[in-house]
Amino acid sequence: MSGPAPAVAAVRSAVAAAVTDLPAGSLVLVACSGGPDSLALAAGAAFVAQRSARRGAGWRAAAVVVDHGLQPGSARVADDAAAACRSLGLDAEVVRVVVDGRGEAAARTARYAALGRVADERGAAAVLLGHTLDDQAETVLLGLARGSGARALAGMPAVRGPFRRPLLGLRRADTVGACAALGLTPWQDPTNEAGHADAALRSRVRGEALPTLERVLGPGVAEALARTAAQLREDADLLDALAAELLDAAQTDGGLDVAVLAQAPAALRTRALRAAAIAAGSPAGALHRSHVLAVDALVTDWHGQGAVALPGAVAAHRACGRLALGPAPAS
């Protein structure tokens, strides 16, 4: 008797490895849009959960479909995705959200908030996301084009809080192949086609930029970008930990001790200041290097300048050797 198709086996193995640390009886949610990546993930999770249940020490799997309401017919697409998950043996629910703002970042914020809320309400131990190695490569390439720092170039982590990405080591071709082998018909998002009028920048990177790089530089570009992300993540994790220690050492009743901050290397100090600004309420996505350098100048180039305005109605100001970050005063 032959086993499953290689792509199916690869997805199942990736899911099993991603949840091996969860205690028996844990609930795991699968975020499913109905596309090939998340549908293959849902199929893999359903199989692994059912197999582990038969062995008597399993975890339970269910699916959550988030309808962003951004495209005509999105409700039908979400309902179809939920039905596909139910056909795999998963309990599935559709969550409708209102996206506050425009663009991929706003939709992502709404989606993660909804998934986190459902996970909390249902006591889920983890939420599985369908990002692949291709998604990781696209993230790194976009970060390079935007001049982002090491943290952004480190890409998406395999685990962050309740969210887990079992498929980061697999290619998109694997998820497409798994769906085909299992007789599943995934939804094809029209905005993922580079020629579509509403194509997102990421979709153009997927359909145009990466294929061009493969043609010019040869095969393996996506894998190389993913390796770059893994290497930078190790560095970024260490620097983040050291930055947190620096902030702890600089913390006083009146804010952050400028003398302590000034003694730190610039790479560490600016990372700590960025973390302090985000903790004070400045949105990470809107906080650029120019903002951080302006705050850093309050530490290293102080000549009596006024407060630095930061995104999110946050301000940084220096007084009496202390650096304070908090809500900007009302004008």
Side-chain angles (χ1 to χ4, degrees):
M1 181 177 179
S2 62
V8 174
V11 171
R12 291 173 177 175
S13 295
V15 171
V19 298
T20 187
D21 62 315
L22 298 181
S26 297
L27 173 63
V28 174
L29 300 179
V30 181
C32 185
S33 67
D37 300 338
S38 61
L39 192 56
L41 177 63
F47 176 85
V48 176
Q50 292 161 7
R51 183 179 62 180
S52 63
R54 290 194 295 270
R55 294 175 177 175
W59 45 273
R60 298 170 293 125
V64 179
V65 181
V66 177
D67 175 15
H68 303 86
L70 296 177
Q71 300 177 32
S74 66
R76 177 187 56 78
V77 171
D79 291 341
D80 288 347
C85 291
R86 294 185 189 108
S87 73
L88 295 168
L90 298 175
D91 172 53
E93 66 173 297
V94 176
V95 179
R96 320 281 181 187
V97 300
V98 176
V99 177
D100 183 14
R102 300 178 61 184
E104 180 186 357
R108 182 172 58 248
T109 297
R111 178 169 62 254
Y112 278 72
L115 292 172
R117 183 171 63 253
V118 173
D120 288 342
E121 291 171 353
R122 300 188 61 175
V127 179
L128 305 186
L129 307 175
H131 298 112
T132 65
L133 184 148
D134 294 77
D135 295 305
Q136 188 76 297
E138 293 158 12
T139 298
V140 176
L141 191 57
L142 283 167
L144 285 168
R146 292 166 174 162
S148 302
R151 173 51 68 188
L153 297 181
M156 298 174 287
V159 179
R160 176 178 287 164
F163 299 106
R164 303 188 179 199
R165 297 179 172 89
L167 308 183
L168 279 183
L170 302 184
R171 299 298 304 269
R172 187 168 291 122
D174 294 317
T175 62
V176 172
C179 288
L182 294 170
L184 301 172
T185 303
W187 172 61
Q188 300 297 335
D189 185 348
T191 64
N192 283 339
E193 299 176 10
H196 191 277
D198 297 324
L201 179 58
R202 178 180 288 271
S203 297
R204 298 191 65 184
V205 168
R206 178 179 308 163
E208 300 175 28
L210 273 173
T212 298
L213 287 174
E214 293 273 354
R215 286 195 301 271
V216 174
L217 301 177
V221 171
E223 289 87 351
L225 289 169
R227 288 195 301 273
T228 296
Q231 293 164 11
L232 285 174
R233 178 159 297 282
E234 295 175 356
D235 297 344
D237 288 345
L238 174 60
L239 286 171
D240 282 348
L242 294 174
E245 293 177 4
L246 175 60
L247 287 177
D248 286 342
Q251 191 68 51
T252 69
D253 290 339
L256 298 174
D257 189 325
V258 170
V260 173
L261 293 172
Q263 293 175 1
L268 192 57
R269 185 178 61 250
T270 53
R271 185 174 290 256
L273 292 175
R274 175 179 171 81
I278 293 172
S282 191
L287 188 64
H288 302 311
R289 179 167 173 78
S290 58
H291 297 125
V292 177
L293 291 179
V295 177
D296 190 50
L298 296 177
V299 177
T300 62
D301 189 24
W302 171 247
H303 48 269
Q305 63 265 45
V308 173
L310 301 173
V314 172
H317 68 274
R318 173 172 171 165
C320 302
R322 299 292 183 267
L323 182 69
L325 296 96
S331 56

